[in-house]
Amino acid sequence: MPVSERYRPDPRFAGLGGEFADPVAPADFPKTILRFRNDRAAATVGLEGLTDAEWIAHFARFQPLPGNQSQPLAMRYHGHQFRSYNPELGDGRGFLFSQQREAQTDRLLDLATKGSGQTPWSRHGDGRLTLKGGMREILAAGLLEALGVPTSRAFSLVETGEALTRGDEPSPTRSAVLTRLSHSHIRFGTFQRLAYFDRADLITQLVDHVVETYFPHLADAPDRPTAMFAEVVSRTARLVARWMAAGFVHGVLNTDNMVVTGESFDYGPWRFLPRNDPNFTAAYFDHSGLYSFGRQPEAGFWNLQQLAACLVLVSPDQSGLIAALNGFSDAYRAALSEAMIARLAVTSQGGEADIELVNAAFKALAEGTKLDGGEALRWEPFFFDWFGGEASEARALEGPRGKLYQDPVFAAFRARLAGFAPDRPERLENPVFGQCEPEELLIDEVEALWTPISEADDWAPLNAKLARIESARIAYNLYG
Ligand code: AMP
Ligand code: MG
């Protein structure tokens, strides 16, 4: 196969040894129909030159990539699910396939799967993923990336020709195997499993691996577990803040769904907010609203507490861990301010001024949502209309929500916004801002994208949507 110079395999995780993962074989699928390949993501690791046949050989048959892991590895982990500890988790329908360096940054990136077959950790599960589930993950990851959220990227989706039975989809339903590209799949739950077995030695080994592989600037820290933890706290705070500014509800914030490098991944029952609503819940099985929109910061903090409890076993000084944990709320508030300022595309003034603008924006969203029976102001259009602040005032007032913005509930927000200069206002020249409505992914649209695939194997609407999300990503260019 033609491997480019930019492809640099570096299978580090396998070097941790047999306590961390189990070699597994992929399922032998009856069919392999390529449905999605992310060549932009592939280019970041030098794999965009693969032919479709080679792509399928690697991302449906899982033939090893040259110089990479010789076998897929099902990772071992435990975790809290909805606050109950479950020692029977682990990669039950996925594995780590390969690791390679990102060409531009040199950072290590994982290619890992969902739906690639059974493993020792499948329990009673079939090890499979539904095609609809795969489609939903491609959409979520795509829009999150466009909105500046640190996220895994959907890399490949191959339909696999099996008929699956699921309680939450009309069954039988079609099967697929998804591959994602992300920085590390080392979960909070990876540490929890080691703590559960009282293996301080392995926790130390894993801390060293995480620091040396992902946080090399911390290599000389006198207390590596605490230094690593402080980094994870700050990355988690930033991740949660970016979800909040994106109006994203992950749905399943269990400790096995959070990784130490602070990207979100594993998009199951996710939803984007139709409109501002702290109680909005994504997963139909989340009866208490534990992971509702407004409770995501609390979920992030709670999960960090569980990680800290593992690191207590290996840190010489607990007070450092406690101090790092207590840094979460300040880190979250600062990250939320940064994320909201970025979404409004205005130039930060730092400190209090930013915070007051952010508070005014949230107040406008909350009050504005109550107008006109709650139908008028959706989450995403508010940010789209005011992108660039005052530089967008005419556009906002002439657009579909122009009349709404004349309401007094927006006065304080508009007055504050007027005091901020636009950030990179040339972005407003992008034709995306000539449209009346932004790209959203509300549940009705997601279902409407699935229907033609399900009924007529028509992928054109999905591909058109992905192209529009890509245009939005380029237009927003949120973090420069
Ligand atoms: P998730 O909800 O995808 O994060 O999965 C939670 C746990 O259940 C993980 O250990 C998964 O590997 C496992 N799991 C979920 N669905 C399946 C399935 N269909 N087959 C095997 N394991 C599964
Ligand atoms: Mg998971």
Side-chain angles (χ1 to χ4, degrees), residues 424-473:
R424 294 173 283 146
E426 66 279 6
R427 287 180 288 174
L428 288 167
E429 288 158 28
N430 189 296
V432 159
F433 292 104
Q435 296 162 11
C436 291
E437 301 290 349
E439 288 312 317
E440 295 170 273
L441 270 178
L442 305 183
I443 188 65
D444 288 350
E445 184 178 11
V446 175
E447 294 294 326
L449 291 167
W450 171 247
T451 302
I453 297 172
S454 166
E455 290 178 357
D457 211 20
D458 178 4
W459 292 74
L462 176 71
N463 290 328
K465 177 72 184 179
L466 294 174
R468 292 197 302 275
I469 290 174
E470 173 61 3
S471 298
R473 184 188 70 81

Side-chain angles (χ1 to χ4, degrees), residues 77 81 89-93 114 121-123 125-128 166 256-257 266:
Y77 52 82
Q81 298 181 301
L89 295 176
D91 273 343
R93 54 169 162 170
K114 187 166 189 170
W121 314 108
S122 299
R123 291 172 286 164
D126 59 7
R128 303 310 202 256
R166 289 291 184 272
D256 61 313
N257 278 346
D266 211 5

Side-chain angles (χ1 to χ4, degrees), residues 141-211:
L143 188 56
L144 287 172
E145 185 186 3
L147 296 177
V149 176
T151 177
S152 67
R153 280 170 289 169
F155 189 83
S156 168
L157 186 71
V158 179
E159 184 168 357
T160 48
E162 296 177 317
L164 306 181
T165 304
R166 289 291 184 272
D168 52 3
E169 282 182 38
S171 296
T173 188
R174 290 153 73 178
S175 65
V177 62
L178 175 83
T179 303
R180 34 170 109 94
L181 182 67
S182 196
H183 299 100
S184 135
H185 288 76
I186 297 173
R187 296 151 167 93
F188 294 9
T190 311
F191 284 92
Q192 287 182 285
R193 177 179 166 276
L194 303 175
Y196 180 88
F197 291 120
D198 209 16
R199 292 296 301 268
D201 58 328
L202 297 178
I203 297 179
T204 297
Q205 190 192 350
L206 190 58
V207 168
D208 286 340
H209 173 79
V210 169
V211 167

